Amino acid sequence: MTPKDPRGFDHEERAEPLPAPGDPMLGPDRRRVLREHLVREIARKRVGAPRRFSGRRLVVWAAPLALAVTVVTGTAVVTGLRGGQEAVHTPGRSATTVGRPPVIAMGEDQFLYKRRAMREEYTDHRGGAEVVQREDWLAVGGGRDGLALTGPQPVAADRLDPHSPTTEHMAMSGGRDYRELRELPTDPRKLLAYVYRETEGQGPTHEEAVFEYIAGVLEPAALVPALSEALYRAARRIPGVVVENGVQDVVGRTGTGLALPKSATGGRALVFDVSSLVFLGVEETTALLEIGVADRAGAPPADSWELGP
């Protein structure tokens, strides 16, 4: 028997053809009962009918068997459908490959360093730039304040000048304990079961809560061996998740996207490197540029990984 995920679905299993039904002789009363039952079922399941998003995504919420379909929606082509998911291919875009992250050791007294490009409306920065750069320092062991710097993207330097009048400072507190991420299982089924337990009773729907939990840990997960790929494979098993190729982050890197309509990302896809499945950013909104470890908040990273251009 093929193992199932926590919600009773296995989106990656291959559906086998069903045996041909028999043709029993039914009386008129029995046929009437079955006909009425069928009508009720059709009416009840209409909520699972295909819905279109952004003119190019086709979402099917319930599909008991794998289907072979080709549906053209704008510039994208739906080439497969399995268990409520589909692969959407956007032609004409070459995938970006950033490679696999190096092994970076982190001490409990250090800070997780992240450098990102972001559309200004998704930050507190109001300097008038369409896209800004943000640098974060979060305590690896938790319990200490960190720092966030936000400002226009530097012209001649990789990082922001903390003394520039256009750089805004913000104290950071809390954040996810990096130690928790190191304890997460890297088997996608076990990982998904864990996240379902952790998010029980949360979100407008449980699937949205699970998707948003995974989205929230993708950046630091790049530095935990095998965790990025496990999170990607766990997320694509969530019922209703759309798999889309040729999706770009805010700096134009192209990868594989996972999207869940009505999630906190507003239906925008989470973008992953096609080779390593490391998280790159959110579709046309954010981009992870560098991640590493620093000895103190505000200091340049002592060791880091730059994720391509």
Side-chain angles (χ1 to χ4, degrees), residues 168-200:
E168 298 178 358
H169 297 233
M170 180 175 66
M172 299 285 289
S173 61
R176 184 167 300 278
D177 194 329
Y178 181 74
R179 291 173 298 183
E180 294 178 8
L181 297 183
R182 292 182 292 190
E183 300 300 321
L184 291 179
T186 54
D187 177 273
R189 288 181 174 85
K190 293 179 180 178
L191 178 58
L192 188 59
Y194 171 85
V195 178
Y196 266 105
R197 290 193 300 269
E198 289 293 300
T199 56
E200 186 68 41

Side-chain angles (χ1 to χ4, degrees), residues 21-35:
D23 187 19
M25 296 297 294
L26 300 177
D29 292 339
R30 180 59 176 162
R31 289 181 182 275
R32 177 180 53 79
V33 171
L34 291 177
R35 187 183 302 110

Side-chain angles (χ1 to χ4, degrees), residues 84-266:
Q85 296 180 323
E86 73 269 13
V88 183
H89 299 269
T90 304
R93 290 179 178 176
S94 299
T96 302
T97 301
V98 299
R100 296 190 177 277
V103 176
I104 296 178
M106 288 195 180
E108 295 293 316
D109 60 341
Q110 291 182 302
F111 288 81
L112 175 70
Y113 171 80
K114 298 186 296 182
R115 182 166 60 91
R116 291 169 289 172
M118 310 177 71
R119 289 202 174 275
E120 187 178 62
E121 61 265 32
Y122 292 91
T123 72
D124 292 329
H125 185 76
R126 293 294 178 266
E130 182 178 351
V131 177
V132 299
Q133 184 161 293
R134 173 164 168 164
E135 297 178 67
D136 289 359
W137 288 261
L138 298 170
V140 171
R144 291 178 297 159
D145 285 346
L147 175 68
L149 300 180
T150 309
Q153 287 185 291
V155 176
D158 291 336
R159 301 180 179 93
L160 294 170
D161 178 2
H163 304 294
S164 170
T166 60
T167 300
E168 298 178 358
H169 297 233
M170 180 175 66
M172 299 285 289
S173 61
R176 184 167 300 278
D177 194 329
Y178 181 74
R179 291 173 298 183
E180 294 178 8
L181 297 183
R182 292 182 292 190
E183 300 300 321
L184 291 179
T186 54
D187 177 273
R189 288 181 174 85
K190 293 179 180 178
L191 178 58
L192 188 59
Y194 171 85
V195 178
Y196 266 105
R197 290 193 300 269
E198 289 293 300
T199 56
E200 186 68 41
Q202 300 178 22
T205 68
H206 202 173
E207 283 67 33
E208 290 175 57
V210 171
F211 188 80
E212 289 165 16
Y213 178 103
I214 290 175
V217 302
L218 283 170
E219 289 179 341
L223 297 182
V224 180
L227 186 55
S228 289
E229 181 175 350
L231 287 166
Y232 169 86
R233 298 194 184 282
R236 67 172 292 162
R237 290 173 177 270
I238 301 171
V241 163
V242 179
V243 183
E244 182 177 356
N245 293 334
V247 186
Q248 293 184 332
D249 63 18
V250 74
V251 296
R253 295 176 304 188
T254 302
T256 298
L258 298 181
L260 181 64
K262 298 184 179 179
S263 69
T265 63

Side-chain angles (χ1 to χ4, degrees), residues 23-79:
D23 187 19
M25 296 297 294
L26 300 177
D29 292 339
R30 180 59 176 162
R31 289 181 182 275
R32 177 180 53 79
V33 171
L34 291 177
R35 187 183 302 110
E36 292 174 353
H37 175 74
L38 178 61
V39 170
R40 288 196 300 269
E41 283 297 294
I42 291 173
R44 182 177 66 84
K45 291 183 178 180
R46 277 178 179 170
V47 296
R51 299 171 61 192
R52 296 182 185 275
F53 293 86
S54 303
R56 60 193 177 107
R57 291 201 180 101
L58 177 65
V59 180
V60 180
W61 294 101
L65 297 177
L67 302 178
V69 298
T70 301
V71 181
V72 178
T73 55
T75 61
V77 179
V78 180
T79 59

